[in-house]
Amino acid sequence: MRILSKASEMEGLDPREKSDILRGKTIALLFFEPSTRTRLSFESAVQNLGGKLIGFSNSGGTSITKGESLIDTIKTIERYADIIIIRHPLMGSARLAAQVSKKPVINAGDGANQHPTQTLLDLYTIQKSFNRLERLKVGFIGDLKYSRTVHSLSTALSHFDVEQVFISPPELRLPEYIVKRISPEKVFESDSIFQWLGKLDVLYATRIQRERFVDPLEYEKVKNAYRITKGMLSDVKPTFRLMHPLPRVDELSYELDSTPYALYFDQLANGIPVREAILTILRDVKDEG
Ligand code: CP
């Protein structure tokens, strides 16, 4: 909640009022996996705050290709940077980086595990749209097994008075260890969206995460599991909103973009003030060494 409140403050500031917040600080962006929104909104946030950027968006040009471990990469970068932002395909990689680093580490997505800064911008977006984070019914649809944005957001929403509806093919259900974090009376699971659409305040859609499937044939079976079109939204509440962390593949029809329900472009824009807020708060964390 402190970060959300700070994000609102950052959004209200004149650019000149925040342009020195990270002056003299170096922020490392270590992206071992592709990204458009997370990396570029972090880069924008650092530049808006007057910080310096180092890092890579493709580990192929680094000594990792010579066999260097993640631990040694982090122990190197912590000597060059004040804050480390990492996206990595392995679950738990960001936690490992935080354990070996004396500098703050931000998880920008660790495999199919978590994506906490996405969750903060998702919460910020819901709060801005509804003026509250309580008394809401939020549906999640798609690849709930591998989607780290869903894992993080559903965990975060379990702290609020929010009913959560999980809609997916049976093969892609939300992992049980995450379902257990939510009060049983606030969880609903379904393989059909139609009975829920008229009851939801928010539908959070995700793509089927092709890169996480071990067996390509398993992906082929579920890749077209659902597609949301404008016609399907004829009976939704007037305040209903459709969210998506993006990128999308086929699951959201482009005709939805011009409806009042589409919140996903505002959602991604909120990545900048939220990430500015995170970096501003972390600026004052002292070197634990
Ligand atoms: N939402 C999100 O993480 O998008 P990118 O993969 O483009 O960063």
Side-chain angles (χ1 to χ4, degrees), residues 126-145:
I126 295 171
Q127 191 178 49
K128 260 178 94 171
S129 190
F130 289 87
N131 240 343
R132 64 183 195 276
L133 285 171
E134 306 283 353
R135 302 180 312 286
L136 293 168
K137 198 185 280 286
V138 176
F140 292 90
I141 187 165
D143 183 348
L144 311 186
K145 179 177 179 182

Side-chain angles (χ1 to χ4, degrees), residues 3-108:
I3 292 170
L4 302 198
S5 162
K6 191 72 174 175
S8 178
E9 195 185 306
M10 301 309 290
E11 202 169 18
L13 288 179
D14 182 273
R16 284 167 302 183
E17 293 178 278
K18 54 187 174 186
S19 61
D20 276 337
I21 289 175
L22 288 182
R23 187 70 62 206
K25 300 285 182 189
T26 300
I27 314 302
L29 282 154
L30 314 184
F31 275 68
F32 295 81
E33 277 193 334
S35 169
T36 299
R37 282 143 289 272
T38 310
R39 187 169 69 80
L40 295 182
S41 61
F42 262 124
E43 284 193 13
S44 301
V46 171
Q47 291 184 0
N48 293 347
L49 303 179
K52 284 182 288 185
L53 283 159
I54 60 169
F56 50 82
S57 56
N58 180 346
S59 62
T62 73
S63 286
I64 292 152
T65 56
K66 299 180 224 164
E68 183 162 81
S69 67
L70 178 62
I71 290 176
D72 281 352
T73 302
I74 296 298
K75 282 176 177 269
T76 302
I77 307 287
E78 70 168 351
R79 284 162 171 84
Y80 302 154
D82 299 288
I83 297 174
I84 298 172
I85 300 164
I86 180 169
R87 168 170 288 190
H88 195 281
L90 286 181
M91 294 170 77
S93 51
R95 182 177 294 278
L96 173 67
Q99 282 165 349
V100 300
S101 172
K102 296 185 180 74
K103 302 289 173 56
V105 173
I106 300 174
N107 181 1

Side-chain angles (χ1 to χ4, degrees), residues 141 193-194 223-230 232 248-256:
I141 187 165
I193 188 175
F194 293 100
K223 71 176 185 186
N224 296 319
Y226 73 98
R227 176 173 166 81
I228 300 166
T229 58
K230 197 171 167 181
M232 290 164 65
R248 68 176 143 185
V249 185
D250 288 325
E251 62 280 1
L252 289 188
S253 155
Y254 282 90
E255 65 187 355
L256 292 164

